[in-house]
Amino acid sequence: MTTDDVAIVGIGMHPFGRHEGVSGMDMGVTAVRSALADAGVQWEDIQFAFGGSVSAGSPDTMVSKLGLTGLQFINVANGCATGGSALFSAYNSIKSGMFDLGIAIGFDKHERGAFRVSTRASGLRSWYGASGMALTTQFFGMKINRYMHEHGITTDSLARVSEKAFRNGSMNEMAWRRKPLTIEDIKASAMLSYPLTQYMFCSPGEGGVALILARADKAHQYTDAPIYLKAAVVRSRRFGSFEVMAPHIALEHNAGPTADASAAAFEMAGMGPGDMDIAQLQDTESGAEIMHMAENGFCEHGEQEHLLAAGETEIGGRFPVNTDGGCLANGEPVGASGLRQVYENVLQLRGDAGARQVPNDPRTAYTHVYGAPGISGVTILAR
Amino acid sequence: MGKQVPVAEGVFTWPADEPRLLGSTCTDCANVMFPTQSSCSKCSGQSTEVTELGRTGELWTWTVQGYPPKSPPYAGDVDPQTFEPFGVGYVELPGELRVETRLTINDPAQMKIGMEMELTFVPLFTNDDGDEVVTFAFAPIEQETP
Ligand SMILES: [Zn+2]
């Protein structure tokens, strides 16, 4: 620990899933109150907040429920990296020396079914959506189809990722989908976007997460088990990468924003992929987890086929991935999703993950989000 | 009634004997983009000119839209009883770019990365004037069997 480090000293979550009659904002408030209790602080102690929500209202209005203390409250909206961006902003607010104690909040509540894309908000013209192409699910189908062709990944691997996710989710009381499914069930479910079936996709959902951050040298005032945030990075796409919502892609190849964010985070933390004990990787669909294992530097392209077959990314495996069931089992309330990953890593590093606690006594943990229009966020935690 | 109209102006030449997609070429670095845009995504240059893109290329990747998209934004058939899954892919136009496009085929058994494709047009819906609104698509080039 150095004096300018940042620690996570309190975590709170509202269960993910579908909650009739509960607003997204109220889920955020529940998460904040549970994070305050976890850190043993009062709302009036919080000096600043960054709040993110894509579809459930302006986060700063939650102060009318939490208390009008006059704190600095900034709303963050950054697509699928909304939660990661709130955390990045909170991290820098403490690292800069401006504040000692603050909170990153994410919550959301989406309509049922696939995400409805606003072509205008995405900088695209209406013919694109009108013609049937503005669907994130298509991108994931096309990206993994090409990847399978180039790197020899099979449908069995796609199903194995989902099987693992629902098994891990069954041990997570905060998860939405808690029923284990067999590889056969997963492969036989409706084909939504070839080669991806219904149970290979996560669904837009609901939930909230809050994380309280403090200057590392003051962290022991709040917790016996501070978890240090060693890196928080957000990157957008560069020329030549293959992204969601792209009417064209260039012939020139670029590895994409995930590879960039990952490399920058490892440099910031002074660590490498081999130093990580567990990871939560964006699994909007099961192919994404596979591709993101390699894009984040945890294996070579194509190696995932045997890593999955050998169970290496299971909770008891050499390198556990998506220990809480990921987006597949938790669903994706966009504003909260990236913070859920960090919440899970804090539990695992504290040794508080219960039935799904990884047995390898983890000291380091990695998170990664990816989303439209080609943005990735990475964090590295250590205890 | 009876005439065909394009889904939008400026996306492809229409009417034309042999319609083509309209892209932009950067006058500074020759980067080609689709649809047209006034500045360059590669070099940040602010001078582009409209180019007609090639009509044929190889299928680079593909999927099949298996469920009715939400409407809006989708303008085609969303009735679950009559919805026909449709292919979507990227076709690599040599020396230009890979364009995202509807495909005229929707059977995974027929679809192969690398297959030769050519530009065509498909009906989307009939508008209030009774005109058939069309958008672009790519179709397999029939290979002569030896
Ligand atoms: Zn240029």
Side-chain angles (χ1 to χ4, degrees):
Chain A
M1 184 191 82
T2 59
T3 51
D4 64 349
D5 264 340
V6 176
I8 297 174
V9 299
I11 60 174
M13 184 169 181
H14 184 285
F16 280 30
R18 289 273 173 216
H19 307 284
E20 291 298 329
V22 185
S23 72
M25 182 106 38
D26 281 342
M27 293 183 226
V29 168
T30 299
V32 170
R33 290 188 177 131
S34 105
L36 293 170
D38 186 49
V41 297
Q42 303 299 316
W43 175 244
E44 65 192 25
D45 300 325
I46 301 295
Q47 299 166 343
F48 70 89
F50 287 89
S53 164
V54 171
S55 306
S58 291
D60 62 327
T61 59
M62 72 195 328
V63 294
S64 65
K65 294 183 171 171
L66 288 164
L68 302 171
T69 62
L71 86 170
Q72 171 185 298
F73 199 123
I74 294 176
N75 295 331
V76 180
N78 205 5
C80 296
T82 292
S85 299
L87 184 60
F88 171 83
S89 304
Y91 169 79
N92 281 301
S93 297
I94 291 177
K95 204 170 173 66
S96 70
M98 190 78 78
F99 294 106
D100 296 341
L101 189 70
I103 191 164
I105 307 162
F107 58 86
D108 244 316
K109 188 178 181 91
H110 305 290
E111 64 177 340
R112 284 168 199 276
F115 285 110
R116 186 192 301 272
V117 171
S118 164
T119 44
R120 186 182 299 254
S122 305
L124 298 162
R125 287 152 61 193
S126 61
W127 64 265
Y128 182 66
S131 298
M133 289 186 288
L135 287 100
T136 56
T137 43
Q138 290 174 354
F139 162 75
F140 291 110
M142 290 192 283
K143 189 178 176 198
I144 190 63
N145 200 12
R146 179 76 197 182
Y147 195 86
M148 291 164 81
H149 173 80
E150 285 184 3
H151 300 294
I153 300 296
T154 64
T155 305
D156 279 349
S157 287
L158 299 180
R160 278 197 184 96
V161 168
S162 292
E163 186 204 25
K164 170 172 70 70
F166 296 123
R167 187 168 50 250
N168 292 354
S170 75
M171 294 182 279
N172 177 4
E173 65 284 357
M174 292 288 183
W176 180 9
R177 304 196 185 282
R178 305 191 52 202
K179 182 172 156 249
L181 292 171
T182 65
I183 287 195
E184 291 67 38
D185 292 336
I186 293 159
K187 285 163 77 170
S189 62
M191 185 64 78
L192 297 188
S193 195
Y194 185 93
L196 299 166
T197 65
Q198 180 181 353
Y199 293 137
M200 295 176 187
F201 273 108
C202 88
S203 304
E206 305 171 10
V209 179
L211 306 171
I212 295 176
L213 282 70
R215 271 175 56 164
D217 58 353
K218 299 193 172 179
H220 281 278
Q221 293 177 18
Y222 310 109
T223 177
D224 296 335
I227 303 298
Y228 301 104
L229 189 51
K230 305 302 287 186
V233 172
V234 175
R235 285 288 184 276
S236 64
R237 65 201 187 281
R238 285 200 276 169
F239 183 74
S241 65
F242 178 17
E243 308 300 342
V244 61
M245 299 291 140
H248 85 272
I249 47 183
L251 299 183
E252 193 174 309
H253 175 73
N254 176 273
T258 292
D260 285 345
S262 178
F266 283 127
E267 189 182 340
M268 188 183 282
M271 299 180 192
D275 298 319
M276 295 299 106
D277 292 331
I278 59 169
Q280 317 297 332
L281 305 177
Q282 179 81 27
D283 59 335
T284 319
E285 40 77 32
S286 55
E289 178 175 312
I290 292 172
M291 295 183 284
H292 291 149
M293 285 167 66
E295 290 179 15
N296 285 290
F298 296 116
C299 65
E300 296 298 320
H301 292 295
E303 223 187 320
Q304 302 96 327
E305 186 75 11
H306 83 253
L307 293 175
L308 284 159
E312 300 249 22
T313 56
E314 298 284 344
I315 282 174
R318 182 182 55 82
F319 182 64
V321 173
N322 290 333
T323 48
D324 67 351
C327 292
L328 287 166
N330 286 280
E332 192 181 17
V334 170
S337 201
L339 299 183
R340 169 189 55 77
Q341 298 176 324
V342 177
Y343 177 96
E344 171 68 5
N345 278 350
V346 170
L347 283 183
Q348 292 284 352
L349 292 173
R350 286 177 176 177
D352 285 346
R356 65 181 191 284
Q357 177 66 45
V358 302
N360 65 355
D361 189 30
R363 303 197 63 81
T364 54
Y366 186 96
T367 71
H368 159 259
V369 291
Y370 170 82
I375 187 165
S376 288
V378 167
T379 73
I380 294 173
L381 303 185
R383 67 178 162 94
Chain B
M1 70 148 273
K3 71 176 188 294
Q4 287 189 320
V5 296
V7 66
E9 296 295 330
V11 182
F12 40 83
T13 55
W14 191 276
D17 291 340
E18 203 172 63
R20 285 174 179 259
L21 296 178
L22 291 170
S24 291
T25 302
C26 174
T27 59
D28 294 326
C29 77
N31 178 36
V32 184
M33 295 157 280
F34 174 80
T36 58
Q37 61 180 68
S38 58
S39 56
C40 179
S41 56
K42 184 177 185 182
C43 75
S44 308
Q46 294 179 51
S47 168
T48 65
E49 42 191 43
V50 175
T51 353
E52 294 190 2
L53 300 180
R55 298 187 62 257
T56 61
E58 288 187 356
L59 187 59
W60 188 73
T61 188
W62 57 273
T63 186
V64 176
Q65 177 60 36
Y67 61 94
K70 281 184 175 167
S71 176
Y74 186 50
D77 181 22
V78 293
D79 180 345
Q81 302 305 316
T82 54
F83 173 77
E84 279 279 331
F86 57 88
V88 174
Y90 281 91
V91 173
E92 181 165 325
L93 306 177
E96 295 177 339
L97 46 68
R98 299 179 187 121
V99 63
E100 188 180 11
T101 178
R102 284 178 73 117
L103 306 173
T104 59
I105 48 177
N106 67 0
D107 176 3
Q110 295 181 320
M111 302 162 92
K112 296 270 180 297
I113 287 173
M115 70 194 291
E116 293 290 330
M117 310 290 285
E118 67 180 339
L119 181 65
T120 186
F121 294 84
V122 292
L124 264 182
F125 66 102
T126 302
N127 69 14
D128 294 341
D129 299 332
D131 296 331
E132 190 174 66
V133 177
V134 299
T135 193
F136 66 95
F138 276 75
I141 296 176
E142 297 302 331
Q143 305 286 341
E144 287 195 24
T145 41

